Amino acid sequence: AVQLSSCPGNMAEQGLEAAQWALGSPLIDDTGTDCAGGGTCPVPYGCFDGVCGGSNRGLLRPDAGLDIVFFSDEDDQSPDTVDEYTDFCRGVLGAERQPGARVFAIVGPPPTGCDDENDVAEAGTRYHAVAGQVGGGAFSICVPSLDAAMQAIAVPPWQAPVVLHLGAPPDVSTL
């Protein structure tokens, strides 16, 4: 079972805003400017692996999908609308990109959340809505096991199985 506890700090959880911030400019930017020899990078960039850019540069690769997973015992309190965060998540990799982005929410179930022997959580209505609109899935955080959620996240976003054809018969002595 997962044990969750409260932490001190800002009580206004803004997971959707944090995801947009982490996956947007300037954090994902790559300027291409060499800084390996002690060169300096223009503000707001830093020197990462010898190249000026944001601290998350390279995270969004052209050949990969993206799964965004939210765990929360409260609803999102980010400043923009659900539709704006949905549009951002759909477009973060480009509208035509396959596989695209998926959003998973492991939150208190709408409409009332939960208050039982496993957890206490407010309904994660905004997270649930974005996951439903973008694609991915929403799961209750109020369960003794998160196995179903983890299994859904682990399933690749493409439909067809990968088939690798051997170029020659296998050497059975090596099996």
Side-chain angles (χ1 to χ4, degrees):
V2 174
Q3 297 295 317
L4 302 174
S5 62
S6 297
C7 300
N10 184 346
M11 301 307 287
E13 293 189 13
Q14 296 186 12
L16 295 171
E17 184 72 13
Q20 183 171 314
W21 183 73
L23 298 170
S25 184
L27 291 182
I28 62 161
D29 295 344
D30 186 340
T31 68
T33 304
D34 182 20
C35 57
T40 59
C41 299
V43 174
Y45 302 113
C47 187
F48 299 97
D49 300 322
V51 178
C52 293
S55 57
N56 292 341
R57 72 175 190 80
L59 178 69
L60 303 178
R61 298 183 321 272
D63 58 342
L66 175 69
D67 286 347
I68 304 168
V69 182
F70 296 101
F71 282 87
S72 184
D73 63 351
E74 294 182 23
D75 199 8
D76 177 71
Q77 299 172 41
S78 297
D80 293 334
T81 67
V82 166
D83 288 340
E84 289 171 297
Y85 293 112
T86 296
D87 290 346
F88 174 80
C89 291
R90 283 181 178 154
V92 70
L93 296 179
E96 304 303 318
R97 176 98 162 263
Q98 293 299 323
R102 300 185 303 173
V103 174
F104 293 91
I106 302 172
V107 297
T112 60
C114 63
D115 187 354
D116 59 32
E117 70 277 0
N118 296 312
D119 202 358
V120 175
E122 296 175 10
T125 307
R126 286 170 54 93
Y127 293 117
H128 209 277
V130 172
Q133 292 175 27
V134 174
F139 300 89
S140 176
I141 198 170
C142 308
V143 294
S145 170
L146 296 175
D147 287 353
M150 297 300 107
Q151 288 172 358
I153 294 167
V155 173
W158 52 86
Q159 299 295 324
V162 175
V163 178
L164 301 174
H165 298 281
L166 299 176
D171 180 351
V172 292
S173 67
T174 64
L175 300 178

